[in-house]
Amino acid sequence: MDITFLGTGSGVPSKLRNVSSLVLEMHQERDEVWLFDCGEATQHQILNTPIKPRKINKIFITHIHGDHIFGLPGLLSSRSFQEGTSTLEIYGPKGVKEFIETALSVSQTHLRYTIKYFEVTDGVLFEDEQIKVTAMSLVHGVPSYGFLIEESDQIGPLLPTKLKEKGVQPGPIFQEIKNNEVMTLDDGTEIVREEVTGPDILGRKIAILGDTLPFDDVIEFVRDADLLVHEATFTHEDTKLAQQYNHSTSVQAAKIAKEANVKQLLLNHVSSRYQQDHLQQELEHLKEIIKHVTYVKDFDSYEVLKEGR
């Protein structure tokens, strides 16, 4: 799992930060690419990365403010011209479907693929054997959501020495043993999977939040996340301004991550009012709250690791 940030600014684009968008790539896990938010010029940002729009199969929209959705019509149109023919799923609050279909209709844009729309509400959006995605309402003046992506635990590795003790030789039978809790061999030997495998490999947990004021309930939502993406539109000295505009400060985000036992905090949606040296000073203060915290920049990429892997 890898996360690449395409836009890390807030409100309007700047020379250093485009507006909101990030990509979660899961090529090895399930050969899928998911896009979270799609601010203006997202498709231009993609041109600076190896990401292929035709590979994007799910788009999640946190809320319908322009800096999070104005890039959708252009990206969807270009996907048709870049060999994108597979079905695309779009998850977002009420209004996303109307916005997209109006823009495509007025511009007479005809897509070569089908879009399936899913209106986001609190709770599980979908779940399969590998992964579960849950949504939670945030506090931003308009419907805004956070998304929790939880990877299922995997069966631990087979232990060759344990199998050898039971007379099992390497071969296709190894996979059969791993696929069955209990298996009886031709000679009558019973193989109990948990006796011949190591500890389960714990799934990774990622939380990606839309714009929000800080509030207590979000702590349980992101609890024990391996990686949390949280907005930090304002720095600590502008707390009153953050409250006025329904946003969070970097310190508020850090305190939430600390209380929730988050392993790594990535701060984005940063106001262009702050220069890099100012953010560096703020970061030193944040590290006193939580050790693993970073202000992300456009095109930064992070591998999502399970603690201890």
Side-chain angles (χ1 to χ4, degrees), residues 28 49 89 167 279 292:
Q28 293 184 349
T49 74
E89 297 179 357
L279 295 179
H292 299 293

Side-chain angles (χ1 to χ4, degrees), residues 72-74 76-77 81 99-111:
L72 277 170
L76 299 179
S77 176
F81 291 103
F99 167 73
I100 292 172
E101 293 194 341
T102 300
L104 297 180
S105 174
V106 170
S107 63
Q108 298 187 43
T109 300
H110 304 286
L111 304 181

